[in-house]
Amino acid sequence: MRLLSNANIITLESKAKLIELISDNFSTTSQKDISVKSLKNKIYSPEFSTIENIQNLLENLIQMTEKDKTIN
């Protein structure tokens, strides 16, 4: 979500509004509710493993779009 915000795909008034949006509308497989405090810590200081996981996810998404291009 932070990447989408930084790329101006999601535009909100502030990072605080982004954190509020995520907390109110999203969950994870391990956490039904994501606290604002937890998000604040993670959005401003992401863990290295989180960055690596996001990079892997983005690479997989790119591969999926490449496959879609060949289908069409």
Side-chain angles (χ1 to χ4, degrees), residues 10-35:
I10 296 174
T11 55
L12 297 165
E13 299 166 15
S14 64
K15 282 220 185 347
K17 291 288 184 184
L18 175 63
I19 291 167
E20 187 178 312
L21 172 84
I22 296 167
S23 178
D24 290 346
N25 296 288
F26 293 90
S27 62
T28 69
T29 54
S30 61
Q31 270 187 293
K32 184 179 177 191
D33 297 313
I34 306 171
S35 75

Side-chain angles (χ1 to χ4, degrees), residues 31-47:
Q31 270 187 293
K32 184 179 177 191
D33 297 313
I34 306 171
S35 75
V36 170
K37 183 178 179 180
S38 172
L39 283 171
K40 277 184 184 178
N41 291 335
K42 292 177 181 179
I43 205 163
Y44 290 108
S45 301
E47 296 174 0

